[in-house]
Amino acid sequence: MITNGFTYIAVLVFIAALLVWLQRYTKSKFFDYAPPIVLLYLITMILCTLGAWDMEATKPAYSVLKNNLLYTMIFLMLLRCDIRKIIKLGPKMLGGFFAASFSIAVGFIATFAIMKGFLGSEAWKALGALCGSWMGGSGNMIAVQAALDIGEGDMAYALVVDSIDYSIWVMFLLWAINLAPKFNKWAKADTTTLDEVSRRLEEDAKANEDKASFVNLIFLLGLALVISAFGQDIGAALNGAMPFLDKATWTVLLITLAGLIGAVTPVGRMAGSTELSNLLLYSVVALLASRASFLELTDAPAWILAGFMILAIHGIILVLLAKIFHLDMFTCGVASLANIGGSASAPILAGAYSGALVPVGVLMALMGYVIGTAGGLITANIMSLLA
């Protein structure tokens, strides 16, 4: 059993590194269906369940790192989110994305109303965190958890649903690629705009082929750490002056604003933010999952069922909206995964259609990251009214 805080952190980062390395160098198709970040959830939770580390002895290391790294990660992720580029996706792509977001929110609210007797009246908090994740990625889940002050035990339910149900949804969407021609014909979708967006994004990518350098990496990391530190200090001060929002919510709002502003400056064009933010994302996810044991999940079957209900409602509504607004399969699938999987998997699905469309998956996932935390908190508050 690990009792040393540094050893605990080292093991978590090594597990994440090993999974990413295996995906890169084995090129196994297995990782198309079970991305490293999902496996990281499961493996770390299994190790926690088996008692690989002492929860009390390692708690100080966890407490010091989690939020500090979280806010650093949020800032770095948002540096990639140039709103001017997202607008280039066109109204149909943005419409597809928001259709997916709307249908996910409806799925959560309807499922909680139906399943609250099985999940518990306080389940809206963990579902809100899961909704944050399913509107843009794991970073939003952690941000909503911090804003709603959800304990690790309650978060374990959301993590299990996020791991199991999400993995199956990814596999389904990858399988559904084969149905794209028939689906597009049924929905009467015109892919001319999509082809044009793809061409423009290819040109943008060729114009910025800078590689991450030591100078870029240390500057971006130093800037992000300072933003994280001062953001928390200012967030605490604002919470004291205007307590209608808690410290965590103020901090997330401030850092989001800083990231969006930074994205349209030369800092947003510096190579290295992607690598650093992904490193921090995997580290924070490993930290979070390391405090959740499967032994606490006595209601897991009900939660897993609730997750599939959410996905079913989301899928049905999205297909109906596709028929009404003539959305193509690519738009629907990538919009769905940009919400539910975020930057970890939306580019994978986009690339499965065409390598040229990977940037579309990236940009849609970043859009999800921008609205995910707010979407999760709003949906959670609506669910709380039904509790």
Side-chain angles (χ1 to χ4, degrees):
M1 178 183 290
I2 297 172
T3 58
N4 180 278
F6 179 75
T7 306
Y8 158 72
I9 298 299
V11 168
L12 293 180
V13 175
F14 176 73
I15 294 170
L18 183 61
L19 289 170
V20 173
W21 182 85
L22 286 172
Q23 181 193 36
R24 172 66 177 81
Y25 288 100
T26 64
K27 302 185 186 301
S28 172
K29 293 291 185 181
F30 171 73
F31 291 105
D32 292 342
Y33 303 97
I37 199 164
V38 176
L39 295 174
L40 181 61
Y41 275 145
L42 295 175
I43 292 172
T44 310
M45 289 178 67
I46 290 170
L47 289 175
C48 176
T49 304
L50 296 175
W53 42 79
D54 186 292
M55 298 292 280
E56 286 301 317
T58 57
K59 187 175 181 179
Y62 169 81
S63 300
V64 167
L65 287 176
K66 191 194 78 170
N67 281 345
N68 290 321
L69 294 184
L70 164 66
Y71 299 134
T72 305
M73 177 198 75
I74 290 174
F75 175 76
L76 286 169
M77 280 190 167
L78 289 173
L79 285 181
R80 295 179 279 158
C81 187
D82 189 335
I83 297 298
R84 296 169 301 182
K85 289 185 179 180
I86 291 178
I87 291 174
K88 293 181 181 179
L89 293 176
K92 181 170 287 190
M93 297 295 291
L94 291 176
F97 174 83
F98 285 112
S101 301
F102 169 76
S103 60
I104 289 168
V106 172
F108 272 93
I109 295 167
T111 298
F112 177 70
I114 296 169
M115 296 287 290
K116 65 180 178 180
F118 300 96
L119 304 178
S121 59
E122 293 296 306
W124 62 270
K125 292 184 178 180
L127 285 174
L130 179 62
C131 184
S133 176
W134 283 9
M135 283 188 179
S138 303
N140 291 312
M141 172 188 277
I142 304 167
V144 174
Q145 178 193 7
L148 296 179
D149 193 24
I150 306 169
E152 285 80 10
D154 292 333
M155 277 300 297
Y157 298 110
L159 285 168
V160 167
V161 176
D162 194 34
S163 298
I164 297 174
D165 296 50
Y166 155 78
S167 297
I168 294 174
W169 188 246
V170 172
M171 288 187 282
F172 171 76
L173 291 178
L174 286 169
W175 169 82
I177 292 175
N178 298 322
L179 303 178
K182 293 181 180 178
F183 181 90
N184 293 342
K185 183 177 180 180
W186 172 78
K188 298 180 181 179
D190 181 4
T191 61
T192 303
T193 302
L194 175 63
D195 295 337
E196 175 61 20
V197 169
S198 176
R199 184 187 64 79
R200 286 186 290 163
L201 288 172
E202 281 184 326
E203 292 175 352
D204 290 343
K206 290 178 180 178
N208 186 17
E209 295 181 347
D210 189 23
K211 293 183 178 180
S213 64
F214 168 71
V215 174
N216 283 8
L217 291 173
I218 196 167
F219 176 80
L220 289 170
L221 181 59
L223 176 63
L225 289 171
V226 166
I227 293 291
S228 174
F230 284 101
Q232 291 179 74
D233 292 340
I234 298 172
L238 289 173
N239 173 243
M242 296 175 282
F244 57 86
L245 292 178
D246 61 23
K247 174 189 171 183
T249 302
W250 276 119
T251 302
V252 169
L253 291 174
L254 286 169
I255 291 176
T256 298
L257 179 61
L260 291 175
I261 292 173
V264 297
T265 68
V267 174
R269 295 191 294 273
M270 292 180 68
S273 62
T274 299
E275 291 81 1
L276 287 172
S277 61
N278 285 341
L279 188 155
L280 291 172
L281 173 61
Y282 276 73
S283 300
V284 172
V285 166
L287 282 168
L288 183 61
S290 72
R291 316 309 287 181
S293 171
F294 281 113
L295 296 177
E296 301 175 2
L297 305 179
T298 56
D299 295 329
W303 282 80
I304 292 171
L305 175 60
F308 284 125
M309 287 180 62
I310 293 166
L311 291 173
I313 294 170
H314 157 61
I316 291 170
I317 293 175
L318 190 57
V319 167
L320 291 176
L321 291 175
K323 179 65 173 178
I324 295 170
F325 295 105
H326 309 300
L327 301 176
D328 58 273
M329 173 70 85
F330 172 83
T331 299
C332 293
V334 175
S336 175
L337 211 52
N339 278 273
I340 295 172
S343 59
S345 51
I348 294 174
L349 183 64
Y353 279 90
S354 170
L357 295 174
V358 169
V360 176
V362 173
L363 291 174
M364 290 186 76
L366 290 172
M367 187 66 183
Y369 193 81
V370 171
I371 73 161
T373 300
L377 290 171
I378 292 170
T379 305
N381 279 285
I382 295 173
M383 288 188 288
S384 71
L385 300 176
L386 303 175

